[in-house]
Amino acid sequence: MEYVQTIIHYSNHFLIPLVFALIVYREKWLRVTLILWATMLVDLDHLLATPIFQANRCSIGFHPLHSYYIIPFYAVLCYFKKYRIIAIGLLWHMATDGIDCLLMNYTIY
């Protein structure tokens, strides 16, 4: 299950934003993809944790930029055209990490 979780996680971080950009923003797909990938810089808040990496730790609700207080702010950013792509990237990042948290607790018996 660990390998499947890793494939799902990184596909959601890299492949899905590319596909989204190709479908929705066909004319500007490269620029949009790079912006969506750049939103992964939100993971820099992991550097504030001790230890920095812990395999079984859920990011959502633990790290400051992954907190339940900041995620609604990302949703509000969707209403501003200038920040919409960034907001979509941040929300998708949170969804991806949320999926990862769910899979972390999933076991096959």
Side-chain angles (χ1 to χ4, degrees), residues 7-101:
I7 290 168
I8 291 170
H9 184 80
Y10 288 105
S11 293
N12 280 336
H13 274 316
F14 291 101
L15 185 61
I16 300 300
L18 171 64
V19 171
F20 173 79
L22 284 168
I23 293 171
V24 179
Y25 293 95
R26 190 170 307 186
E27 300 292 321
K28 302 183 282 183
W29 71 270
L30 180 59
R31 181 174 185 263
V32 171
T33 299
L34 293 174
I35 292 169
L36 293 172
W37 286 346
T39 62
M40 285 189 282
L41 290 172
V42 75
D43 277 342
L44 287 174
D45 65 353
H46 292 356
L47 297 174
L48 301 172
T50 305
I52 291 173
F53 176 76
Q54 188 175 4
N56 61 348
R57 180 171 55 211
C58 178
S59 297
I60 304 297
F62 186 84
H63 301 291
L65 297 176
H66 291 70
S67 72
Y68 295 110
Y69 301 107
I70 197 88
I71 294 172
F73 174 73
Y74 299 153
V76 170
L77 285 177
C78 284
Y79 291 101
F80 301 97
K81 188 175 182 179
K82 182 177 180 178
Y83 302 108
R84 189 166 296 144
I85 295 169
I86 295 168
I88 290 168
L90 290 168
L91 289 170
W92 182 249
H93 185 98
M94 297 304 127
T96 296
D97 286 359
I99 291 166
D100 202 42
C101 294

